[in-house]
Amino acid sequence: MSNTHDNPYARLERIFHEPGRLTIMSNLLGAIDGLTFTELKEACELTDGNLSRHLSALENAKAVHIKKSFAGSRPQTTISLSKQGREDFMAYLQALEAVLLDAAEKVAVQDGKPAPKRTLFSTRLANA
Amino acid sequence: MSNTHDNPYARLERIFHEPGRLTIMSNLLGAIDGLTFTELKEACELTDGNLSRHLSALENAKAVHIKKSFAGSRPQTTISLSKQGREDFMAYLQALEAVLLDAAEKVAVQDGKPAPKRTLFSTRLANA
């Protein structure tokens, strides 16, 4: 039995893998100051209920911060990545890239072509 | 509301997205003549029960063919991708790549770098 640490499929953190959560985390990755609930809902094309449910799961996993405040007299919810959430999600993306490379390599081998080499995230993480 | 067809997160076919099924499909992608149950189990690092369960789901979705035969007097199960399964999985990988590119772009924008462009699968599909 090989080491599961080397198996990128086994390294896909399940908390992020659900497509709705993937789009939430990805959108938060691009927003250092966070996004309001409404902005995030529109960016992710999720319903209020789905977004709330996913945010609870991500907050329980300490991946996001959820801050309630007021914009004038209107209540406003702002969501941002936690430091831990950002690190864990970058590691998830690295595993996802390894999965994609593995599949691309299998296609290339079958076609008699050289295996592709890509490092969208691997290099970044090594330098982080 | 934008067209969900343009949203790669919404295009992630759920039948393939589960990590165990992802590794099964990826290993079958590299095996034109199929793999025996034992070969697939070892390649995927799954238990007999998990592999059986995932294969049933993939067979119901018409993504794989499961053939029972004999190797000498021993029964043998051989699993291979169906034509439809291969096409659908390649489309899934294309969506997965778009998801990864979207995340990489968000990181790059934040770092003030140009957005990365990768086409591991997109080009292949266009030429298929």
Side-chain angles (χ1 to χ4, degrees), chain A residues 1-4 7 9-10 12 14 16-20 22-24 26-32 43-46 86 89-90 92-94 96-108 110-111 113 116-121 124, chain B residues 1-4 7 9-10 12 14 16-20 22-24 26-32 43-46 86 89-90 92-94 96-108 110-111 113 116-121 124:
Chain A
M1 196 59 124
S2 55
N3 185 341
T4 52
N7 179 344
Y9 299 90
L12 289 174
R14 299 209 175 223
F16 301 135
H17 195 57
E18 198 284 328
L22 234 171
T23 179
I24 292 169
S26 185
N27 277 291
L28 291 176
L29 200 57
I32 265 194
C44 298
E45 300 178 13
L46 292 170
R86 190 183 166 89
F89 188 58
M90 290 297 281
Y92 167 85
L93 290 171
Q94 193 182 23
L96 198 60
E97 180 174 52
V99 160
L100 208 55
L101 272 169
D102 183 62
E105 192 177 298
K106 286 179 164 66
V107 174
Q110 213 175 63
D111 294 353
K113 292 183 183 158
K117 286 196 176 68
R118 310 279 170 140
T119 48
L120 282 174
F121 291 99
R124 268 191 67 85
Chain B
M1 197 58 126
S2 54
N3 185 342
T4 52
N7 179 344
Y9 299 90
L12 289 174
R14 300 208 173 222
F16 302 136
H17 195 57
E18 198 284 327
L22 234 171
T23 178
I24 291 169
S26 185
N27 278 291
L28 291 176
L29 199 57
I32 265 193
C44 298
E45 300 179 12
L46 292 170
R86 189 182 165 89
F89 188 59
M90 289 297 280
Y92 167 86
L93 290 171
Q94 194 183 22
L96 198 59
E97 180 175 52
V99 160
L100 207 56
L101 272 170
D102 183 62
E105 193 179 297
K106 286 178 164 65
V107 174
Q110 212 175 66
D111 294 353
K113 292 182 185 159
K117 286 195 177 67
R118 309 281 168 140
T119 49
L120 283 174
F121 292 99
R124 269 191 68 83

Side-chain angles (χ1 to χ4, degrees), chain B residues 57-75:
Chain B
L58 291 169
E59 190 182 30
N60 286 339
K62 303 196 190 310
V64 301
H65 294 303
I66 301 179
K67 205 179 77 183
K68 312 240 176 208
S69 60
F70 282 86
S73 61
R74 294 166 59 102

Side-chain angles (χ1 to χ4, degrees), chain A:
Chain A
M1 196 59 124
S2 55
N3 185 341
T4 52
H5 185 72
D6 296 330
N7 179 344
Y9 299 90
R11 281 193 286 120
L12 289 174
E13 184 59 61
R14 299 209 175 223
I15 187 83
F16 301 135
H17 195 57
E18 198 284 328
R21 292 200 205 128
L22 234 171
T23 179
I24 292 169
M25 291 300 290
S26 185
N27 277 291
L28 291 176
L29 200 57
I32 265 194
D33 298 325
L35 293 171
T36 66
F37 188 89
T38 307
E39 286 168 339
L40 196 52
K41 191 180 80 162
E42 283 169 9
C44 298
E45 300 178 13
L46 292 170
T47 60
D48 281 41
N50 269 338
L51 180 52
S52 292
R53 198 164 42 82
H54 288 316
L55 287 178
S56 292
L58 291 169
E59 191 181 30
N60 285 340
K62 303 195 189 311
V64 301
H65 294 304
I66 300 180
K67 205 179 78 184
K68 311 241 178 211
S69 61
F70 282 87
S73 61
R74 294 166 59 103
Q76 191 172 66
T77 302
T78 307
I79 302 105
S80 57
L81 284 190
S82 70
K83 186 168 176 294
Q84 188 62 47
R86 190 183 166 89
E87 284 173 15
D88 291 349
F89 188 58
M90 290 297 281
Y92 167 85
L93 290 171
Q94 193 182 23
L96 198 60
E97 180 174 52
V99 160
L100 208 55
L101 272 169
D102 183 62
E105 192 177 298
K106 286 179 164 66
V107 174
V109 166
Q110 213 175 63
D111 294 353
K113 292 183 183 158
K117 286 196 176 68
R118 310 279 170 140
T119 48
L120 282 174
F121 291 99
S122 319
T123 321
R124 268 191 67 85
L125 274 180
N127 297 339

